[in-house]
Amino acid sequence: MTDLKTPPAEPETAVEPHAKPLAWPLGLAGVALVIVGSFLSWSYDGQILGDLSINFYPGGLQILAIILAVLALVLLLAEKGPLTKLGAWLDVTAGLRALGFTLTLYMLLVLVAISADSDGLINVNPGGYISLAGAALILASAWMMPLRHLRDMSEARLPAWFEILSIAVLMASVLFVAAYALGLEDAWSFILCLVFIAAVAAVLFRTGALTWVGHVAQRNRKVLTLSAFLVAFLFPFTQGGSDANMSIATQVLVFAATAMGLNIVVGLAGLLDLGYIAFLGSGAYVAATMSTSAFATIGWKPPFLVVMLIGAGVAATLGLIIGTPTLRVSGDYLAIVTLGFGEIFRFSMFNLDGNNGPNLTNGPNGVPGIPDLEIGGFNFGDVHTVAGIELGRFSNYYFLLLVLTAFVILVFSRLNNSRIGRGWVAIREDEKAAEAMGVNTFGLKLLAFAVGAFLAGLAGTIKAHQDGAVSPDQYIFLESAFLLAAIVLGGMGTIAGVLLGATILKLLPEKLRFFSEYRLLLFGLLLVLMMRFRPEGLVANRRRQLEFHEEDEQLAVDVDEEHLLVEEAK
């Protein structure tokens, strides 16, 4: 077992010459300037970016700049100073370059935001320019330092208690940043917070620390899972009863649970479904028509748990109906057929209005006035106080959706690690080869459609009550495209990746409303950049990552070792 105190030998070959003598002191000077500038006023106008006009009292965005400067100081001390043992494991220069670039971009955006929200750069106070100069010095210092070979962080071991503590600190940081970011009402402040998050993530990735975190998470999977759900459970308690933020959070969970069902179809079985939003809509319409709304068209009012099962069953039945005749085709043809199914569902909801067909959905008017859920005497529309903190209507639905998301994740992970999951992966990789090996390809593809539709139907039944209304316009093709984009962006076949992708694609449009006319352009640009620089997704499945990086021999070895560990665990 290797620990951080005994790093492996330095490789004989170097990528670049030795660092220039001025590199290290220049970096320290940059850190000092960023911190000093952040304690001074950045803006003359106190109404901009959360009031950055007070000297010696840093605002929120200034504190973020100070955090990045301290992170740069840690990297510099790991390069030359008391933290050199840590630096022997990390690619300090690559991390410092990423940090210098993102910190400089951060400060430039601060100046642009102040200028755009006021009368120009004349309203930028000296502190802003001083911090910008410091960021530029850090970037210049990083480019004077030589690159190192990245260590194999799988060999780095620390005591188990320290690894668990690291997971706890990481998840607490996620909770803090999420609460802070959602609390930002100004769009520029939110963008700058995203740049801060990107800076920290880039440093962790470029130094190799993220690889170590991945190995720690693999060794402490249960601890990570429990801590993640604990953070998610505590999130409403950080919002101070804000219904606006909790409304966004509930939408994210509905979107994530639905995307996880689509991940079975696309990520595991490799079936391109462009009409998946119809399954979510079918569950929502079942719940709406069986609710106690004055506009509900079905007289039977069973308990909600029964409604959930009926809604999920109807969605799964639709999956079987559309899958039976169409799953014998594949690729682009399957995509076209599923796209057509999504549109057929939407137009059917329009026509079931009593004039063109039976009156089930009230046509384009939909079913408004859906009351809040009431399960066992607990009304989800009431405000409840827990530990002195008010939890409103959306917080109640958030906890229910959190339970649903946990169930969906459990189903996905169990199926993924089963013989059925391995059959789906075989079909995705090469359907002809899988069929030749005796895999029932048609049956498994049909099962993927049915299970994915079932999970989407469950989410739809809750969504109907949370939204309070259901109409055909909610289930357009664009929503199916966003669900698919969340899977591609996050990482096909992964759990964390789909959750991350769903959060990004649902959260950004809500917080960046002034980009509403350019949302599709930004999403398209984001996907193009992902396909160019990280086609396997933000959180890549290791085997799928190997498909895009076949030349990486070390990755192939890691994948084989990971597979052996999973088999031994079984």
Side-chain angles (χ1 to χ4, degrees), residues 69-142:
V70 171
L71 185 56
L73 178 62
V74 171
L75 292 177
L76 288 168
L77 295 179
E79 175 68 20
K80 182 180 178 182
L83 300 179
T84 51
K85 290 183 178 179
L86 176 63
W89 285 90
L90 302 177
D91 191 343
V92 174
T93 304
L96 198 59
R97 289 181 181 181
L99 179 57
F101 175 79
T102 49
L103 182 55
T104 303
L105 175 63
Y106 181 90
M107 291 309 306
L108 286 173
L109 287 176
V110 167
L111 301 190
V112 170
I114 295 174
S115 177
D117 290 346
S118 61
D119 296 327
L121 291 174
I122 192 173
N123 287 296
V124 179
N125 280 350
Y129 292 111
I130 292 173
S131 294
L132 175 60
L137 287 181
I138 293 174
L139 181 59
S141 168

Side-chain angles (χ1 to χ4, degrees), residues 214-265:
H215 288 292
V216 170
Q218 189 73 19
R219 291 193 290 268
N220 303 275
R221 188 176 300 176
K222 292 183 179 179
V223 174
L224 179 65
T225 303
L226 291 175
S227 59
F229 275 100
L230 178 61
V231 166
F233 176 81
L234 293 176
F235 176 76
F237 296 94
T238 66
Q239 297 305 302
S242 171
D243 275 345
N245 291 341
M246 292 311 303
S247 173
I248 296 175
T250 54
Q251 293 178 41
V252 168
L253 284 182
V254 170
F255 195 71
T258 310
M260 192 64 67
L262 181 59
N263 197 25
I264 293 177
V265 180

Side-chain angles (χ1 to χ4, degrees), residues 134-155:
L137 287 181
I138 293 174
L139 181 59
S141 168
W143 282 100
M144 294 180 184
M145 295 181 180
L147 286 171
R148 295 180 177 179
H149 288 283
L150 188 63
R151 306 288 190 186
D152 184 6
M153 295 301 291
S154 63
E155 299 179 2

Side-chain angles (χ1 to χ4, degrees), residues 229 253 397-408:
F229 275 100
L253 284 182
Y397 281 103
Y398 174 89
F399 289 120
L400 178 61
L401 287 167
L402 191 61
V403 174
L404 173 66
T405 304
F407 172 74
V408 173

Side-chain angles (χ1 to χ4, degrees), residues 33-71:
L33 286 178
V34 171
I35 294 176
V36 170
S38 299
F39 275 92
L40 299 177
S41 171
W42 281 3
S43 172
Y44 178 78
D45 188 347
Q47 302 299 317
I48 297 175
L49 301 179
D51 192 1
L52 306 178
S53 62
I54 305 175
N55 287 317
F56 309 112
Y57 190 80
L61 297 178
Q62 290 169 315
I63 292 175
L64 296 184
I66 292 173
I67 293 174
L68 293 179
V70 171
L71 185 56

Side-chain angles (χ1 to χ4, degrees), residues 177-463:
V177 172
Y180 176 76
L182 277 179
L184 296 173
E185 298 181 358
D186 178 67
W188 277 111
S189 298
F190 184 74
I191 291 174
L192 289 167
C193 184
L194 291 181
V195 175
F196 168 80
I197 296 172
V200 175
V203 171
L204 293 176
F205 176 75
R206 296 291 292 170
T207 58
L210 198 60
T211 304
W212 179 76
V213 172
H215 288 292
V216 170
Q218 189 73 19
R219 291 193 290 268
N220 303 275
R221 188 176 300 176
K222 292 183 179 179
V223 174
L224 179 65
T225 303
L226 291 175
S227 59
F229 275 100
L230 178 61
V231 166
F233 176 81
L234 293 176
F235 176 76
F237 296 94
T238 66
Q239 297 305 302
S242 171
D243 275 345
N245 291 341
M246 292 311 303
S247 173
I248 296 175
T250 54
Q251 293 178 41
V252 168
L253 284 182
V254 170
F255 195 71
T258 310
M260 192 64 67
L262 181 59
N263 197 25
I264 293 177
V265 180
V266 177
L268 295 184
L271 305 172
L272 186 56
D273 188 346
L274 296 181
Y276 188 77
I277 195 66
F279 301 128
L280 179 70
S282 62
Y285 265 101
V286 167
T289 54
M290 289 186 175
S291 70
T292 56
S293 168
F295 300 91
T297 55
I298 296 179
W300 184 38
K301 313 296 180 186
F304 179 68
L305 293 179
V306 176
V307 173
M308 287 185 71
L309 293 177
I310 294 175
V314 169
T317 302
L318 288 177
L320 293 174
I321 291 174
I322 186 61
T324 301
T326 60
L327 284 178
R328 299 188 186 279
V329 299
S330 59
D332 298 339
Y333 299 101
L334 179 61
I336 294 172
V337 171
T338 53
L339 172 60
F341 166 70
E343 291 301 295
I344 289 172
F345 171 81
R346 186 166 65 89
F347 283 111
S348 297
M349 298 303 101
F350 273 114
N351 292 328
L352 296 177
D353 58 355
N355 294 321
N356 302 307
N359 185 19
L360 290 177
T361 65
N362 295 321
N365 295 323
V367 183
I370 302 174
D372 287 308
L373 284 174
E374 187 169 353
I375 301 177
F378 182 88
N379 193 311
F380 283 75
D382 294 340
V383 176
H384 301 85
T385 302
V386 178
I389 301 175
E390 287 190 354
L391 299 177
R393 174 179 183 273
F394 289 105
S395 296
N396 298 329
Y397 281 103
Y398 174 89
F399 289 120
L400 178 61
L401 287 167
L402 191 61
V403 174
L404 173 66
T405 304
F407 172 74
V408 173
I409 291 174
L410 178 64
V411 171
F412 179 88
S413 60
R414 291 297 185 183
L415 287 174
N416 187 26
N417 296 325
S418 67
R419 293 179 60 187
I420 294 175
R422 290 194 290 272
W424 283 334
V425 172
I427 294 172
R428 184 192 70 194
E429 299 301 326
D430 192 326
E431 183 174 347
K432 296 298 183 183
E435 189 173 9
M437 295 299 293
V439 176
N440 183 0
T441 56
F442 179 77
L444 285 180
K445 290 194 294 184
L446 198 60
L447 179 62
F449 252 70
V451 173
F454 183 90
L455 297 178
L458 287 176
T461 57
I462 299 177
K463 176 178 170 60

